């Protein structure tokens, strides 16, 4: 099946294109035209935002909350508006602000310059910030609304409990024409603190539809090819990837990676640009493969491009390399940990004691736990149990040397075991084994240990 | 005393020389082994830094990814330090001065990680530009002050901008060799994560997110040091983060191969006079294989053995090159000569003649003369031993089921232990050799010839000549073999015969097959095997059979084991149950495993607690303790204060109990008041 452009989609795109002219009093018409050019398929949201912001000198609503999925144009819209309309603003990424000091500093720096930022004490509180802001704003008053744009605002929830409520009503606190715009991928309901707070205005950015994606992607065509040719390529690309990925950024990346392959037959002169079917036949398996490899980052984009050249296709992905070489006793420690994690403790006697007396097999095998332990996942076990199993599993006599114990902790740092209880080594620590059955089977094969025989689930 | 000091000085010097030699050898080896992987890594960094900004359509459209090298190094984490050190040095010399390497333990939170990155990168600048003008110093100190205020990537970015601008200015001003192209091509900022697994995933994710925001201004690149498998990257980072990386894989040499080359260079060679005996070697190798896979620790073990040997063996002053050893021998004092007379290996080899024995016992000059000969013989033995060992290994390492081991070190261990030709494995190996096909045999023998080629000893040269003769004969066999096949007795059957005749001929054929003369190839093959066997019997004697072997061989495996593979539990147990082995006080001596009542408090408390069950009543314990201690004070059971708990005893008991808690024998429990829980089994 060849995906084709249906006429209705085209007209839909055309309509949005038509409706895209932004009009707002207080802003220069030319600037607004440039803005709408840069924001294809986001005119509605941009218009809404503009009308919320009002004219530059008018007071804006104290806080806006914009949410939508990744790459739905949140930051792009806000940044383009701010830049093109030349509004006083600061954009802060919350990931970057490891401390509130950084956040305050960036705001003060871009609004009032270096001197204001240096007024902040060493570990400033929100009231320090408000005090300095007030002081500065009385010195340098601004006619226009100032905007503080906070990206990845969901991280504010992990910061000081007072920070988010204070930011939401910053306008009131500093008595200045300032507005805070929060951008997030999470809905507002997940933000609301239990103590309650000022409710921001919510603005949702919906995902781009397929037609919109097509429209935007086609806009960035390769300069040496025609628009029609490129948009037919994007159409094929979307046909493969739309089901798994709607991230515009990622799609654009994939489009760039695979375009040269798409052009190959045209460049070689075998196919004309208009022969969509032949082009599709050529590129489709390549794109399918891309979905399994480069999209999942199994293969890096660099390697993907190089593979194009010699076309071996024998590139091994990241997850193909799972083999880990371990010292002999580490292997047995890991096996013991796996057994301890997946066998109930009461069955140890049956597996590891040579003459386990009269535990009737039928009685024993009555699995009162219907579900397999492998479905439930690993269970924590104490160190003593691990060592007891280790000594009975390993075939030679092993002295309890320091290096045996250090191997346990190095297995923890290698993330093959995880420490579940607290870090106190004196008070019998507990571990979990975090490797898969395949992994442990491979390990036990190298030491000639039949692990399946020792697993309760496989009895 | 003075003499001993003299010899100890020379011994120390010898030891130091040897160790320095070992160190440089291993470092060279490490560099050589890492060269491949480091070269490809450097190539990668160069490629990344050059392809970064093309400005063409594709690179504009592509999401900006941080170039990342995933360096899979294996689980021998202690060895990684050296690799990373040489890597960052190489990077600094040939790619970029901006290299920061991070360890997980110093980056608990994002803040710390950021701080480390900034510190490392900016400090490197301070070191580099020390000779430049003072102005910059002032500027820099200003930057340092500023840094403490805000430690963000923005600061780094500003620093980088000023740095590149400055360097381009200065280079144009001073008219350095750097061309305009160099200026355009920005030097990348490389951040090395030494142990990726140990990093907190959240911190790493945040850091990568931040870095990706600055990628257009700051040409960053990462190197991940991975100990397990590359799929850990996907386990630690979600797709949204890993999609920001352009990950390329680099696999390093496995540590077992590394060990093999190290052993090859340091141990299986006659150029190092210092040797390990079989048991010590076994201990070191098994620590490597069973415990840590760390080549660095193996070399540390070798160093320990070296030190111990030169420290504990007075005759080790003879453990050096042949000529030096001769000189040392002449300078030996009477005490050392007496030591030689006492050596078991020396006594074993002495001739039975009374006259000579007397001479040896009394005449120092004669003794020296004999020793000189013996030392020479020892050196010769080493010179011949290793080539023959390698030959035998090349012949046997490809045999089915590896009767003499896959690695040279295994064969070496066998040879050190006993006469290798007496072992059963050797017999089977020889039998298997006698079944080899011709071309296999030829290729193996050619390899052997290659091994023998560079050896300068006379005997080895002879052996090589013989070997080549055999090889020539084997090669010339070709024509004869065909002839042989043609003259088979089957042609007798061609005539038509009756039944009786047929029976007769068949019987004859059978007969002839049984007693058939071996083909010339088989004869030759047997000859080859005999030849090899002869070489082995001549040269692969265990070193213990050689007189004066104690001079070169270190044999105290127990010391090495005790030092390298410590058993803290056992030592604590031993200290508590028999304090005499640590505190050499005669009062503490006891025969039957009981603890004297004069022992330290903790020993008594430990002994008493062994008699309790899972829960210990503290008061009963105190009572018992006080009784024992009263007895030690010499109060008879009849006296007044006997068994009474006074404040001093109480305090001593409390201290002993808390010490035991610290050692992990007991812990507080909430199950019963006034009780503590035992954490060990046994006793009673």
């Amino acid at each position: 099946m060849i995906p084709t452009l249906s006429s209705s989609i085209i007209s839909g795109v055309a309509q949005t294109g038509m409706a895209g002219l932004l009009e707002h009093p207080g802003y220069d018409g030319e600037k607004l035209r440039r803005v709408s050019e840069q924001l294809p398929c986001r005119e509605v949201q941009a218009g809404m935002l503009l009308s919320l912001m009002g004219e530059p000198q008018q007071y804006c609503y104290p806080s806006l909350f914009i949410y939508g999925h990744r790459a739905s144009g949140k930051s792009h819209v806000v940044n383009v508006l701010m830049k093109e309309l030349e509004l006083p603003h600061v954009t802060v990424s919350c990931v970057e602000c490891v401390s509130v000091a950084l956040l305050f500093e960036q705001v003060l720096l871009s609004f009032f310059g270096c001197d204001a930022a240096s007024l902040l004490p060493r570990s400033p509180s929100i009231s320090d910030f408000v005090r300095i802001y007030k002081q500065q704003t009385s010195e340098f008053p601004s006619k226009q609304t100032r905007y503080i744009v906070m990206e990845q605002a969901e991280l504010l929830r992990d910061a000081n409990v007072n920070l988010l409520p204070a930011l939401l009503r910053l306008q009131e606190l500093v008595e200045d024409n300032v507005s805070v715009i929060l951008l997030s991928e999470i809905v507002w309901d997940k933000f609301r603190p239990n103590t309650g707070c000022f409710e921001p205005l919510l603005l949702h950015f919906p995902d781009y539809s397929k037609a919109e994606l097509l429209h935007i992607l086609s806009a960035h065509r390769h300069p040496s090819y025609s628009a029609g040719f490129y948009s037919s390529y994007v159409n094929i690309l979307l046909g493969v990837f739309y089901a798994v990925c709607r991230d515009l950024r990622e799609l654009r990346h994939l489009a760039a990676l695979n375009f040269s392959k798409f052009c190959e037959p045209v460049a070689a002169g075998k196919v004309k640009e208009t022969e969509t079917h032949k082009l599709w036949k050529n590129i489709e398996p390549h794109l399918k493969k891309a979905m399994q490899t480069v999209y999942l980052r199994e293969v890096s984009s660099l390697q993907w491009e190089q593979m194009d050249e010699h076309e071996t296709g024998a590139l091994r992905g990241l997850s193909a390399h799972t083999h880990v070489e371990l010292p002999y006793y580490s292997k047995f420690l890991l096996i013991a940990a796996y057994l301890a994690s997946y066998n109930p403790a009461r069955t140890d006697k049956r597996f590891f004691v040579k003459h386990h007396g009269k535990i009737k097999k039928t009685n024993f095998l009555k699995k009162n736990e219907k579900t397999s332990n492998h479905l439930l996942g690993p269970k924590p076990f104490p160190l003593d149990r691990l060592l007891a199993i280790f000594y009975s599993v390993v075939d030679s006599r092993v002295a309890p040397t320091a290096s045996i114990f250090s191997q346990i902790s190095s297995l923890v740092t290698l993330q093959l075991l995880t420490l579940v209880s607290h870090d106190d080594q004196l008070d019998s620590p507990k571990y979990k084994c975090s490797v898969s059955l395949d992994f442990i089977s491979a390990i036990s094969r190298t030491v000639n240990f039949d692990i399946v025989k020792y697993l309760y689930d496989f009895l | 005393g003075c003499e001993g000091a003299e010899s100890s000085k020379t011994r120390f010097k010898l030891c130091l020389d040897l160790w320095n030699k070992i160190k440089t050898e291993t470092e060279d080896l490490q560099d050589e082994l890492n060269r491949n992987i480091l070269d490809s890594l450097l190539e990668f960094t160069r490629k990344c830094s050059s392809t970064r900004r093309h400005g063409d359509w594709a690179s504009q459209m592509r999401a900006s990814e941080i170039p990342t090298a995933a360096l899979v190094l294996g689980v021998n984490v202690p060895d990684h330090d050296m690799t990373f050190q040489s890597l960052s040095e190489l990077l600094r010399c040939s790619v970029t001065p901006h290299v920061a390497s991070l360890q997980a333990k110093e980056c608990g939170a994002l803040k710390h990680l950021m701080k480390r990155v900034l510190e490392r990168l900016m400090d490197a600048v301070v070191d580099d530009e020390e000779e430049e003008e003072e102005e910059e110093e002032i500027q820099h100190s200003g930057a340092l002050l500023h840094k403490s205020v805000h430690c963000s990537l923005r600061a780094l970015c500003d620093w980088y901008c000023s740095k590149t601008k400055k360097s381009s200015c200065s280079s144009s001003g001073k008219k350095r060799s750097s061309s305009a192209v160099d200026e355009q091509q920005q030097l990348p900022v490389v951040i090395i994560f030494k142990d990726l697994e140990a990093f907190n995933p959240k911190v790493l994710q945040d850091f990568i997110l931040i870095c990706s925001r600055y990628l257009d201004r700051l040409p960053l690149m990462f190197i991940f040091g991975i100990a397990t498998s590359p799929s850990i990257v996907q386990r630690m980072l979600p797709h949204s983060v890993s999609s920001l990386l352009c990950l390329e894989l680099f696999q390093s040499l496995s540590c077992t191969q590394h060990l093999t080359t190290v052993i090859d260079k340091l141990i299986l060679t006659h150029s190092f006079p210092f040797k390990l005996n079989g048991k010590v070697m076994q201990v070191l190798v098994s620590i490597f294989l069973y415990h840590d896979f760390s080549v660095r620790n193996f070399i540390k073990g070798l160093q320990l053995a070296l030190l111990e040997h030169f420290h504990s063996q007075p005759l080790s002053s003879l453990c050096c090159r042949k000529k030096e050893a001769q000189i040392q021998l002449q300078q030996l004092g009477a005490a050392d000569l007496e030591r030689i007379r006492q050596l078991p290996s020396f006594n074993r080899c002495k001739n039975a003649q009374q006259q000579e024995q007397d001479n040896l016992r009394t005449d120092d000059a004669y003794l020296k003369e004999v020793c000189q000969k013996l030392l020479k013989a020892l050196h010769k033995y080493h010179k011949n031993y290793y080539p023959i060992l390698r030959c035998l290994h090349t012949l046997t390492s490809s045999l089915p089921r590896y009767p003499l081991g896959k690695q040279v070190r295994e064969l070496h261990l066998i040879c050190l232990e006993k006469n290798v030709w007496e072992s059963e494995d050797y017999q089977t190996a020889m039998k298997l050799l006698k079944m080899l096909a011709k071309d296999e045999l030829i290729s193996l023998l050619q390899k052997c010839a290659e091994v023998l080629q560079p050896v300068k000893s006379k005997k080895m040269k002879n052996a090589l000549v013989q070997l080549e003769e055999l090889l020539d004969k084997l090669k010339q066999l070709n024509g004869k073999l065909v002839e042989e096949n043609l003259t088979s007795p089957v042609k007798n059957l061609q005539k038509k015969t009756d039944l009786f005749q047929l029976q007769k001929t068949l019987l004859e054929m059978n007969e002839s097959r049984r007693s058939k003369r071996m083909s010339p190839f088989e004869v030759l093959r047997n000859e080859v095997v005999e030849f090899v066997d002869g070489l082995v019997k001549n040269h692969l004697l265990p070193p213990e059979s050689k007189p004066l072997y104690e001079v070169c061989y270190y044999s105290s495996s127990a010391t090495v084991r005790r030092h390298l593979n410590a058993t803290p539990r056992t030592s604590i147990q031993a200290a508590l149950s028999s304090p005499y082995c640590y505190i050499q006080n005669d009062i503490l001596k006891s025969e039957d495993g009981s603890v004297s009542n004069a022992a330290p408090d903790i020993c008594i408390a430990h002994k008493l607690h062994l008699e309790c069950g899972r829960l210990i009543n503290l008061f009963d314990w105190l009572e018992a303790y006080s009784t024992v201690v009263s007895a030690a004070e010499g109060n008879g059971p009849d006296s007044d204060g006997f068994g009474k708990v006074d404040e001093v005893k109480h305090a001593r008991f409390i201290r002993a109990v808390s010490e035991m808690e610290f050692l992990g024998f007991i812990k507080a429990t909430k199950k019963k008041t006034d009780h503590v829980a035992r954490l060990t089994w046994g006793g009673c």
Side-chain angles (χ1 to χ4, degrees), chain B residues 372-526:
Chain B
Q372 193 153 349
K373 273 182 205 154
L374 291 177
L375 274 178
K376 243 184 203 167
L378 192 64
H379 279 279
K380 253 194 203 129
Y381 159 73
H382 283 146
K383 245 184 179 171
N384 299 331
Y385 175 89
Y386 295 107
I388 297 299
L389 183 77
R390 277 173 218 275
C391 280
L392 184 60
H393 176 69
T394 39
L395 287 173
T396 57
S397 61
S398 54
L399 293 177
R401 291 214 265 159
Y402 313 102
L404 291 176
K406 269 192 222 178
Q407 308 271 356
V408 199
R409 57 163 190 266
E410 294 169 51
L411 184 60
H412 179 56
L413 281 175
I414 299 173
C415 294
L416 286 179
E417 286 297 321
K418 56 184 177 207
N419 291 335
V420 63
W421 59 88
E422 283 164 8
S423 74
E424 221 166 278
D425 291 332
Y426 179 80
Q427 307 295 349
T428 50
M430 286 298 131
K431 261 182 210 155
L432 287 168
L433 273 183
K434 282 183 190 170
M435 290 180 223
L436 279 181
K438 196 176 130 198
D439 44 352
E440 277 177 307
L441 191 63
I442 288 180
S443 73
L444 285 178
L445 288 180
Q446 265 162 351
K447 272 188 217 157
C448 286
E450 277 164 33
V451 171
L452 292 180
Q453 199 83 51
V455 186
K456 278 179 191 139
S457 119
K458 214 181 276 170
K459 280 185 183 161
M460 288 303 105
K461 277 190 176 148
N462 276 338
L464 183 62
V465 170
Q466 278 178 306
L467 188 68
E468 269 165 355
E469 273 170 16
L470 284 170
L471 258 173
D472 283 343
K473 275 188 200 164
L474 271 173
K475 280 177 191 161
Q476 282 163 6
L477 263 183
N478 246 343
K480 282 183 194 169
L481 261 180
V482 181
E483 247 173 67
E484 191 69 15
N485 284 340
L486 283 177
T487 56
S488 57
V490 188
K491 65 181 173 187
N492 294 348
L493 278 175
Q494 279 167 354
K495 315 178 246 180
K496 209 176 174 196
T497 47
D498 57 6
L499 201 66
F500 176 72
Q501 205 71 16
L502 181 71
Q503 204 177 5
K504 208 175 141 193
T505 37
L506 280 176
L507 267 176
E508 265 173 19
M509 268 171 67
N510 214 5
E511 197 85 334
S512 71
R513 195 175 295 158
R514 199 172 295 158
S515 67
K516 193 175 120 192
R517 250 192 42 235
M518 287 184 289
S519 72
F521 167 62
E522 284 167 332
V523 174
L524 209 53
R525 189 168 58 187
N526 283 355

Side-chain angles (χ1 to χ4, degrees), chain A residues 255-391:
Chain A
L257 279 186
N258 296 306
F259 189 59
S260 59
K261 177 79 182 169
F262 183 70
C263 297
E264 243 169 44
V266 179
K270 283 182 207 152
V271 183
K272 271 181 253 159
E273 280 196 17
T274 45
E275 289 176 284
T276 334
H277 187 79
K278 277 187 184 163
L279 287 171
W280 175 74
K281 260 199 146 165
N282 173 47
I283 193 71
E284 214 248 355
H286 188 70
L287 289 179
K288 284 259 167 74
K289 203 169 152 201
M291 186 155 75
Q292 284 155 14
T293 54
V294 72
Y295 169 62
L296 294 176
R297 296 304 191 277
E298 282 276 303
V299 168
S300 77
S301 48
L302 215 67
Q303 285 170 316
W304 179 251
E305 281 181 336
Q306 279 164 4
M307 192 199 72
D308 271 3
E309 287 158 20
H310 33 77
E311 195 65 47
T312 48
L315 218 59
R316 293 212 300 161
L318 276 188
S319 49
H321 300 266
T322 49
H323 175 68
V324 177
E325 240 178 280
L326 288 172
Y328 189 72
Y329 288 146
S330 293
K331 284 178 184 170
F332 274 107
L333 281 170
L334 199 61
I335 289 171
Y338 192 84
L339 293 175
S341 257
Y342 287 97
N343 281 347
R346 62 183 177 83
T347 62
D348 283 355
K349 211 172 173 191
R350 186 225 176 282
F351 286 121
F352 304 114
V353 178
K354 280 222 178 85
H355 311 287
H356 45 73
K358 287 189 175 178
I359 303 171
K360 275 183 191 163
K361 218 173 185 182
T362 46
N363 192 16
F364 184 78
L365 286 179
K366 186 183 71 187
K367 292 192 183 179
N368 38 3
E369 310 100 325
K370 276 273 157 57
T371 41
S372 116
N373 288 306
H374 278 83
L375 288 179
L376 292 171
K379 292 193 184 59
F381 53 86
L383 177 65
D384 292 343
R385 192 168 162 229
L386 169 69
L387 286 175
I389 296 180
F390 170 70
Y391 285 124

Side-chain angles (χ1 to χ4, degrees), chain A residues 32-104:
Chain A
L32 283 178
R33 203 186 54 73
R34 268 210 307 271
V35 168
S36 63
E37 256 174 28
Q38 288 181 46
L39 301 176
C41 313
R42 277 287 172 254
E43 292 84 357
V44 183
Q45 284 77 19
M48 174 72 108
L49 201 56
L50 263 184
S51 53
L52 284 174
M53 281 156 47
E55 290 174 32
Q57 66 282 1
Q58 290 171 340
Y59 263 61
C60 173
Y61 197 78
S63 45
L64 304 173
F65 182 83
I66 302 176
Y67 66 102
H69 281 150
R70 182 189 309 281
S72 54
K74 302 177 297 288
S75 310
H76 183 59
V77 167
V78 173
N79 283 338
V80 165
L81 278 177
M82 294 292 159
K83 289 239 169 68
E84 288 296 334
L85 302 179
E86 290 162 10
L87 304 170
H89 74 283
V90 55
T91 310
V92 185
S93 160
C94 294
V95 202
E96 225 174 299
C97 298
V98 283
S99 63
V100 279
L102 272 173
L103 169 68
F104 297 154

Side-chain angles (χ1 to χ4, degrees), chain B residues 494-631:
Chain B
Q494 279 167 354
K495 315 178 246 180
K496 209 176 174 196
T497 47
D498 57 6
L499 201 66
F500 176 72
Q501 205 71 16
L502 181 71
Q503 204 177 5
K504 208 175 141 193
T505 37
L506 280 176
L507 267 176
E508 265 173 19
M509 268 171 67
N510 214 5
E511 197 85 334
S512 71
R513 195 175 295 158
R514 199 172 295 158
S515 67
K516 193 175 120 192
R517 250 192 42 235
M518 287 184 289
S519 72
F521 167 62
E522 284 167 332
V523 174
L524 209 53
R525 189 168 58 187
N526 283 355
E527 208 174 308
V528 168
V529 174
E530 294 287 295
F531 168 66
V532 171
D533 193 45
L535 282 179
V536 167
K537 280 181 183 159
N538 270 330
H539 300 295
L540 288 190
L541 294 158
E544 272 85 352
S545 65
K546 293 281 157 192
L548 291 187
Y549 84 96
E550 289 94 337
V551 166
C552 293
Y553 282 81
Y554 179 68
S555 53
S556 170
S557 62
T559 318
V560 174
R561 194 196 305 270
R562 203 171 54 233
H563 280 100
L564 295 181
N565 206 0
T567 53
R569 276 197 176 187
T570 330
S571 336
I572 290 176
Q573 207 75 36
L576 291 177
S577 50
S578 56
Y580 177 73
C581 56
Y582 287 93
I583 310 169
Q584 255 119 41
N585 188 340
D586 286 337
I587 309 168
L588 299 178
K589 242 182 197 168
S590 61
E591 305 84 42
D592 50 345
S594 64
V595 174
S596 139
N597 52 16
D601 295 338
I602 185 170
C603 297
I604 296 169
H606 174 257
K607 179 73 188 163
L608 290 171
H609 110 288
L610 287 179
E611 288 157 15
C612 301
R614 193 97 187 105
L615 290 173
I616 306 170
N617 186 330
L618 269 175
F619 187 73
D620 292 350
W621 197 4
L622 172 63
E623 289 277 276
Y625 169 80
S626 132
T627 315
V628 173
V629 171
S630 302

Side-chain angles (χ1 to χ4, degrees), chain B residues 165-184:
Chain B
K165 225 178 273 164
K166 201 190 294 165
S167 70
S168 66
C169 282
S170 63
S171 64
S172 59
K174 290 174 187 170
K175 284 182 185 169
R176 278 187 201 157
S177 58
S178 60
S179 60
V181 186
D182 266 354
E183 283 170 30
Q184 276 179 355

Side-chain angles (χ1 to χ4, degrees), chain B residues 4-22 272-274 306-307 309-311 313-314 316-321 324-325 327-328 331:
Chain B
E6 182 70 17
S7 101
S8 75
K9 227 179 242 170
T10 56
R11 265 148 52 198
F12 178 69
K13 202 181 144 288
L14 281 176
C15 174
L16 216 61
D17 285 349
L18 267 180
W19 169 239
N20 284 335
K21 212 169 145 201
I22 289 177
F272 280 102
F274 172 69
L306 187 75
L307 269 174
H309 178 64
F310 280 96
H311 174 71
Q313 174 61 269
S316 57
S317 56
L318 298 177
C319 177
C320 47
R321 296 188 156 277
E324 296 162 42
I327 298 166
Q328 290 294 339
Q331 289 168 350

Side-chain angles (χ1 to χ4, degrees), chain B residues 23 68 84 152 215 271 417 426 515 620 642 667 674:
Chain B
K23 218 167 97 177
T68 307
F84 280 117
S152 69
L215 201 59
S271 59
E417 286 297 321
Y426 179 80
S515 67
D620 292 350
F642 186 80
K667 68 169 184 178
D674 294 350

